[in-house]
Amino acid sequence: MLTRKSKYGLKALLLLAREYDRGSIPASELSEREGIPEKFLQLILLELRRRGIVRSRRGQGGGYQLARDPATINFGEVLRALDGPLALTPCVSQTAYQHCDECADEQQCGIRLVMKDVRDETARILEGASLASVNRAVDRGARRRR
Amino acid sequence: MLTRKSKYGLKALLLLAREYDRGSIPASELSEREGIPEKFLQLILLELRRRGIVRSRRGQGGGYQLARDPATINFGEVLRALDGPLALTPCVSQTAYQHCDECADEQQCGIRLVMKDVRDETARILEGASLASVNRAVDRGARRRR
DNA sequence: TAATTGTCTAGTAAGTGAATTGACAAAGTC
DNA sequence: GACTTTGTCAATTCACTTACTAGACAATTA
């Protein structure tokens, strides 16, 4: 399951992407506009900063902004930062591989076979979903509905 | 993440599928051959029985067997039975849809858009993976490696 | 220097995962 | 019909994770 943490993180980032050229936006504003508990959001933004996804400035007029162009930040990267590896099982993870101790021969494991397929497809979709492209898709959908 | 519960369940089912024509296999044997804590396995098998995936017989010579042909039982069905819905978020679940309260307009949610894609692909893969086809794939892999 | 805003460490309540225990029920064997 | 094997089920345990909150502290700017 997607945790609230990731959901909040993505929401804040999508908003930062929409207002990318506005400069820094304080956590309090992000928190209010997206309905995210402020202290929790600060925790999340801190992790995103450590990962180089977001940049921060303190003091009056400070706040957060994307560290890079919205087209170069994707859902996969964000979910990995906040929720950990995408794979459903460590034995098929690219970023956090771990051998299953109960599995005598990984080559012979049917479960692994299937989970590998799931991971690959999931990664393909999430890494293809950049903040910029997702915002564009939402806008396209809204226009079509009018 | 795939829970141990589901992993154990799938392992037991794959074995039951391999020995489908042998009749009932006691939980104790499944437990020993797959290295699964026996009491925990019984809990899992009970859930699978309630879902009509497995059949049981008590008393001497009793045990468990698949309720249906191994080709008609797929990973998606099993994971739904043991771990709950496949979707990463309730607002894109087929089997347990729930509106997100924090989401004003679902049609405008970029996160939902992406999670829907992930769910659809995940379901396609997991529902295409039957006990029979996965066992066949494992055997093919083993033969190729020899 | 006062106000604003981010940084960081702790802590906590509730829930989930991964089991274990033990009483009980049914079915077959001798 | 007693005995044994095997499944059913409710209850409990324990560690870990999620989703927060509190509060001290640090930096920046008007």
Side-chain angles (χ1 to χ4, degrees), chain A residues 3-5 8 37 39-40 43 57-60:
Chain A
T3 59
R4 247 160 229 269
K5 194 176 184 180
Y8 290 159
K39 276 297 192 177
F40 194 27
L43 226 70
R57 273 221 317 266
R58 301 192 196 202
Q60 192 137 266

Side-chain angles (χ1 to χ4, degrees), chain A residues 32-62:
Chain A
E32 195 166 345
R33 286 175 63 183
E34 296 292 350
I36 305 171
E38 188 170 343
K39 276 297 192 177
F40 194 27
L41 180 60
Q42 289 187 341
L43 226 70
I44 294 166
L45 289 167
L46 198 61
E47 285 192 50
L48 293 174
R49 192 188 68 107
R50 291 208 185 101
R51 290 285 192 137
I53 294 173
V54 121
R55 224 193 336 245
S56 66
R57 273 221 317 266
R58 301 192 196 202
Q60 192 137 266

Side-chain angles (χ1 to χ4, degrees), chain A residues 1-2 7 10 75 79 121-122 124-126 129 134 137-138, chain B residues 80 86-95 97-98 100 106-125 127:
Chain A
M1 273 284 269
L2 193 71
K7 211 193 232 172
L10 288 172
F75 274 41
L79 292 188
E121 273 305 292
T122 303
R124 189 183 59 75
I125 294 170
L126 292 178
V134 170
V138 168
Chain B
R80 282 206 187 89
L86 304 180
L88 289 178
T89 156
C91 65
V92 298
S93 171
Q94 299 280 305
T95 57
Y97 171 83
Q98 260 192 308
C100 322
E106 244 173 35
Q107 298 295 318
Q108 298 244 27
C109 180
I111 298 175
R112 190 182 123 90
L113 219 65
V114 178
M115 292 307 141
K116 177 105 174 49
D117 280 359
V118 172
R119 194 219 83 94
D120 288 348
E121 272 306 291
T122 304
R124 188 182 62 74
I125 295 170
E127 282 163 8

Side-chain angles (χ1 to χ4, degrees), chain A:
Chain A
M1 273 284 269
L2 193 71
T3 59
R4 247 160 229 269
K5 194 176 184 180
S6 283
K7 211 193 232 172
Y8 290 159
L10 288 172
K11 279 189 163 194
L13 289 173
L14 286 171
L15 182 53
L16 286 176
R18 268 186 194 285
E19 319 211 338
Y20 184 46
D21 38 2
R22 217 191 94 190
S24 302
I25 300 180
S28 56
E29 182 184 336
L30 294 171
S31 151
E32 195 166 345
R33 286 175 63 183
E34 296 292 350
I36 305 171
E38 188 170 343
K39 276 297 192 177
F40 194 27
L41 180 60
Q42 289 187 341
L43 226 70
I44 294 166
L45 289 167
L46 198 61
E47 285 192 50
L48 293 174
R49 192 188 68 107
R50 291 208 185 101
R51 290 285 192 137
I53 294 173
V54 121
R55 224 193 336 245
S56 66
R57 273 221 317 266
R58 301 192 196 202
Q60 192 137 266
Y64 295 90
Q65 60 181 311
L66 297 184
R68 312 194 303 266
D69 189 274
T72 69
I73 301 175
N74 66 65
F75 274 41
E77 184 182 1
V78 176
L79 292 188
R80 281 205 187 91
L82 297 176
D83 271 358
L86 304 180
L88 290 176
T89 154
C91 63
V92 298
S93 171
Q94 299 280 304
T95 58
Y97 171 82
Q98 259 193 309
H99 181 75
C100 322
D101 35 353
E102 79 256 29
C103 210
D105 180 6
E106 243 173 37
Q107 298 295 318
Q108 296 243 27
C109 179
I111 298 173
R112 189 181 124 90
L113 220 64
V114 178
M115 293 306 139
K116 178 101 174 50
D117 280 359
V118 173
R119 194 218 83 93
D120 288 347
E121 273 305 292
T122 303
R124 189 183 59 75
I125 294 170
L126 292 178
E127 282 163 7
S130 73
L131 298 180
S133 66
V134 170
N135 275 336
R136 260 202 314 277
V138 168
D139 292 344
R140 258 204 311 280
R143 259 203 311 284
R144 205 168 333 112
R145 249 172 279 113
R146 260 191 323 232

